[in-house]
Amino acid sequence: MQKDPFNLDAEKYVAANSTSYVVVPSLPENLTPLLDIAYNLWWVWTSDAVELFRRMDRALWEETYHNPVRLLGSIDQTRLQELSKDDSFVTQLERIAGGLKRYLEMPTWFSREFPDQNGSSIAYFSTEFGISECLPIYSGGLGILSGDHLKSASDMGLPLVGVGLLYRYGYFKQYLNFDGWQQEEYVENHFFKMPMQLVKDEKGMPLQICVEHPGGKVWAQIWKVQVGRVKLYLLDTDIDGNRPEDREITSQLYGGDREMRLRQETVLGIGGMRALKVLGYNPSVIHINEGHSAFLLFERIRMHMEEKGFSFNEAKELVKASCVFTTHTPVPAGNEVFSPELIEKYILPLYKKMGLTAETLLALGRETPSDLKSNFSMTVLALRFTGFANGVSRLHGTISRGMWQSIWPNVPRSDIPITSITNGIHANTWISYEMAGLFDRYIGQVWKDDPADLTIWQRVGDIPDAELWRSHERRRERLVSFARQRLKVQLIRRGESPYEINMAEEVLDPEALTIGFSRRFAGYKRGNLLFRDMDRLKKILTQKDRPVQLIIAGKAHPQDNVGKEVIKTIIHIVKDYDLRHKIVFIEDYDMTVAHYLVQGTDIWLNNPRRPAEASGTSGMKAAVNGVLNLSILDGWWCEGYNGLNGWIIGSGEEYADQEYQDEIESKAIYDILEKDIVPLYYLRGQDGLPRQWIHKMKIAMQTICPAFNSTRMIEEYTRKFYMPASAQTGVLSQDNYSPVKRLAEWTKKLTANWPLVKIVTTGDDLTDDIPLGGTFKVNAKIDLGSLKPEDVCVQVYAGYIDSKHRLSATFVTPTKLVGTNDNGTYQYEAVVTAARVGSCGYVVRVLPFRDGKELYIPGLITWQ
């Protein structure tokens, strides 16, 4: 090709001068319903729909990475004509198209439970969404959870819309070099070949929003992904008109430096709110997942100030009442912080007109507002500006209250307003075809419609042992076949010898006890714990009459060299002659690999360093397939384990010495494998069935499936957060927002006058020991300064007391206002019941009080 006059090379010349257009699949008339199915990710959790696409061309279905849009665009037209004349295929297509139509139109849980909430809507923000492997814009747990959240919200009919970013290269694809060192490859996503559609305005042009950055306006177009009844909107800055550096904002998930991360989070939070507005949404509730999108709080305040003429404090109260925040990790790296310089560069210019100075803005994101040297924390911002906050398991809720206690100085940890809602999984996405068939036959379709119903799962006991075991064995056989195929491809790419490549077809035993370990290779997840004593591990794996094998998968963050070293060590171990048939590392862990592993292993191993696992959901996915968990008592397993449905490593201890902890807990794993798991698995009856193992599988499914599913999780979010937040928003919006104006004025008065609140004196009528259940009176004289009794609640805070006068196992007794003293102070009194046996104590405290409940407002609490 002749060079252009500007001396560009041919590729650049073509790129600069080409005209773009979009080609869509061309289908015979009677096959056009395939497009409706392909563009609604309902098919992801509908096995018949998946089988429909697989039936069209099985090899191409795998080649297109289970992407129906690519499949329809790549399949030979002759094959389409054949299918259009295949009565069986057309009948199946009509049945599935009808199933999608019925799904979208049928009454839902939300419409039954909340018939008067048709006008409410929930916006769900997350930086990643893992819905299907053909939409690779996720990295791990947060994304998978967000995807399952949308799926169950769709099943239950919640008026929810998702908001995220659309990454041109997504998260990296992993491969290992000859030495076992992780390499990262970024593969471009071709958006028009994916099951989503570009949102256009009434003129047919892409609908766009912009966010102001120091270098100018950054524009983003909006893509829509239909997830059943729920819409997910994704912002994309890789468009003409943006500067090259701005096009890179949505290039990679979790890529770039701190400034790039901040730029991404402004587009997600601020741009996400602007996108909802141009799309016609005015959500009554906003759910923020991790701190990545927390800048939306500032933007929502700005919108209220501009549109309604609110002051900053008035807008803040309305925003706080309507926003939910979920923290997903107790690990510091998961809680975003930015330098003051970056915040002043990017955020301050946007919100100066709201009356925010650099000092006041930065204080909103600091644990201690007066600490001028500390960074700006997105988690702190979210906790300060949302009315509902939670961790993702009971233990994580406790840990989170301890982590963020400094935001509420002088408030006991147990009273910190961070609760917990334990994660769950979308069972219909993660269950194997074989296990789902068993459930359909012996439980009925109700397991899909109401998986949180405890009673239906008791029917698992009705499944014949032989059928359950044969189904499980088929999944293990498929896992072994998949692992062999993947290993062979990996070895060829690494340049291994022909002998090694041929041996890949003989690794693993389809009948051996199979342990699965797959997760992100972060340090606290201890991917190398099982390999501390290689002699002992080798003995466990290589018994001829009781073989055991291990399948591992997982990625290390590109900048995590410690995690990469762990992977490299494992690869070198696998090369041991005695272990090469016993251990397989599957590269590029994603949803496809996860499906095979959670469906086909016998034991799911999880050994994080407690209490660093916020929740974890892979063990839940394994359990719905009858796989038994062997795990540290951390995250969800603290609630899931009941002594009969799996095994625990240790007893929930926490150690100061991590090396000692690793030594103790690795030995515990070996002990459990040697003494419990391996003998039980190989204990067979005359019919060859491991009946005691099968019994344990059934107990696991009966106890774990009804509790740890996303239907239960969504119902909790709805009842505890979404509906109360929506109701509060409705109350504050009445009478031209006069309630929110009164609330802001009250909060201002409360904050200004709280330093004058004092507990002048306290007393009681205790004279001697008191019997359990007995009572005693406590009185207190309180100086409220300029506040009124209706502004506060006075409480007696009692419990066990130790030698350092610390209270535990506490309980609260409210006092009553019994009089006013001559000096303007107020007299309060309470009758306290002796509810604890032993050394006890009490203290009097004063809290803000409004609308019938005590409030925990940072800095506003007074103790005697």
Side-chain angles (χ1 to χ4, degrees), residues 307-360:
E307 295 168 5
K308 302 179 179 69
F310 285 168
S311 68
F312 178 85
N313 287 334
E314 290 168 346
K316 180 186 73 173
E317 295 296 344
L318 188 58
V319 167
K320 186 172 182 178
S322 65
C323 287
V324 176
F325 172 62
T326 299
T327 174
H328 292 265
T329 175
V331 179
N335 294 277
E336 293 276 27
V337 295
F338 295 106
S339 69
E341 292 77 19
L342 281 177
I343 297 297
E344 290 189 48
K345 179 179 178 181
Y346 281 88
I347 307 303
L348 183 60
L350 285 171
Y351 299 108
K352 264 187 175 180
K353 55 188 172 184
M354 293 161 43
L356 296 179
T357 64
E359 182 180 344
T360 56

Side-chain angles (χ1 to χ4, degrees), residues 107-118 120 155-159 449-450 711 714-716 718-719 723:
T108 65
W109 172 85
F110 187 84
S111 64
R112 292 192 303 270
E113 293 292 317
F114 304 97
D116 57 342
Q117 293 294 322
N118 290 333
S120 62
D155 289 342
M156 300 171 75
L158 264 69
D449 301 330
D450 191 10
T711 297
I714 292 289
E715 182 171 349
E716 275 199 71
T718 302
R719 295 192 187 279
M723 288 302 98

Side-chain angles (χ1 to χ4, degrees), residues 245 248-249 255-265:
E245 57 267 37
E248 291 294 312
I249 291 174
D257 57 14
R258 299 308 304 159
E259 185 164 4
M260 174 58 77
R261 184 69 65 85
L262 177 61
R263 297 169 76 206
Q264 286 184 331
E265 297 186 4

Side-chain angles (χ1 to χ4, degrees), residues 789-844:
E790 57 266 29
D791 295 328
V792 303
C793 62
V794 181
Q795 300 172 336
V796 178
Y797 189 80
Y800 289 122
I801 190 167
D802 62 17
S803 60
K804 296 181 179 179
H805 298 283
R806 293 174 300 195
L807 291 172
S808 62
T810 55
F811 61 96
V812 170
T813 303
T815 66
K816 291 183 179 180
L817 177 63
V818 295
T820 305
N821 301 308
D822 292 339
N823 59 359
T825 60
Y826 296 92
Q827 198 70 33
Y828 289 83
E829 187 176 280
V831 177
V832 181
T833 300
R836 307 282 188 270
V837 174
S839 178
C840 299
Y842 76 85
V843 65
V844 175

Side-chain angles (χ1 to χ4, degrees), residues 604-667:
W604 195 257
L605 176 63
N606 186 31
N607 46 234
R609 184 172 286 114
R610 176 185 164 111
E613 186 83 279
S615 174
T617 57
S618 60
M620 304 173 193
K621 301 176 184 105
V624 77
N625 288 287
V627 178
L628 299 176
N629 277 271
L630 167 60
S631 178
I632 295 288
L633 274 176
D634 198 6
W636 79 279
W637 193 230
C638 297
E639 302 161 50
Y641 176 70
N642 72 353
L644 300 172
N645 58 0
W647 291 270
I648 56 172
I649 304 164
S651 301
E653 300 91 349
E654 296 177 20
Y655 298 81
D657 186 336
Q658 292 185 354
E659 180 67 22
Y660 177 68
Q661 178 180 5
D662 292 352
E663 182 68 18
I664 293 296
E665 292 178 344
S666 64
K667 288 180 178 179

Side-chain angles (χ1 to χ4, degrees), residues 313-510:
N313 287 334
E314 290 168 346
K316 180 186 73 173
E317 295 296 344
L318 188 58
V319 167
K320 186 172 182 178
S322 65
C323 287
V324 176
F325 172 62
T326 299
T327 174
H328 292 265
T329 175
V331 179
N335 294 277
E336 293 276 27
V337 295
F338 295 106
S339 69
E341 292 77 19
L342 281 177
I343 297 297
E344 290 189 48
K345 179 179 178 181
Y346 281 88
I347 307 303
L348 183 60
L350 285 171
Y351 299 108
K352 264 187 175 180
K353 55 188 172 184
M354 293 161 43
L356 296 179
T357 64
E359 182 180 344
T360 56
L361 178 69
L362 291 167
L364 297 174
R366 287 170 168 159
E367 288 188 55
T368 304
S370 59
D371 183 2
L372 302 182
K373 295 182 179 180
S374 64
N375 287 327
F376 185 96
S377 167
M378 300 294 280
T379 301
V380 170
L381 173 65
L383 287 170
R384 281 213 171 96
F385 278 74
T386 56
F388 305 84
N390 70 287
V392 289
S393 69
R394 291 176 194 164
L395 177 60
H396 183 226
T398 300
I399 298 301
S400 297
R401 288 189 288 275
M403 284 181 67
W404 306 110
Q405 192 171 2
S406 61
I407 299 175
W408 293 270
N410 301 319
V411 174
R413 178 180 299 189
S414 59
D415 291 338
I416 298 297
I418 303 175
T419 184
S420 66
I421 294 179
T422 302
N423 285 342
I425 63 160
H426 188 257
N428 209 11
T429 292
W430 297 102
I431 194 168
S432 71
Y433 180 82
E434 291 82 0
M435 196 64 70
L438 283 181
F439 287 175
D440 288 346
R441 288 199 297 277
Y442 292 98
I443 297 178
Q445 291 283 328
V446 69
W447 76 268
K448 299 177 183 176
D449 301 330
D450 191 10
D453 185 345
L454 180 65
T455 60
I456 66 172
W457 291 101
Q458 299 312 304
R459 301 177 199 167
V460 168
D462 298 334
I463 302 175
D465 288 356
E467 286 194 55
L468 179 59
W469 188 244
R470 299 302 175 229
S471 295
H472 181 63
E473 284 191 311
R474 281 193 291 272
R475 288 311 311 180
R476 192 188 320 108
E477 290 167 2
R478 292 185 184 182
L479 169 60
V480 169
S481 176
F482 172 77
R484 288 172 175 174
Q485 293 171 10
R486 289 292 288 263
L487 179 60
K488 188 172 183 178
V489 172
Q490 292 169 193
L491 295 178
I492 292 172
R493 185 172 57 241
R494 286 183 216 161
E496 296 281 2
S497 68
Y499 172 78
E500 294 287 345
I501 295 168
N502 291 333
M503 288 292 290
E505 297 186 8
E506 300 178 12
V507 302
L508 305 177
D509 178 352

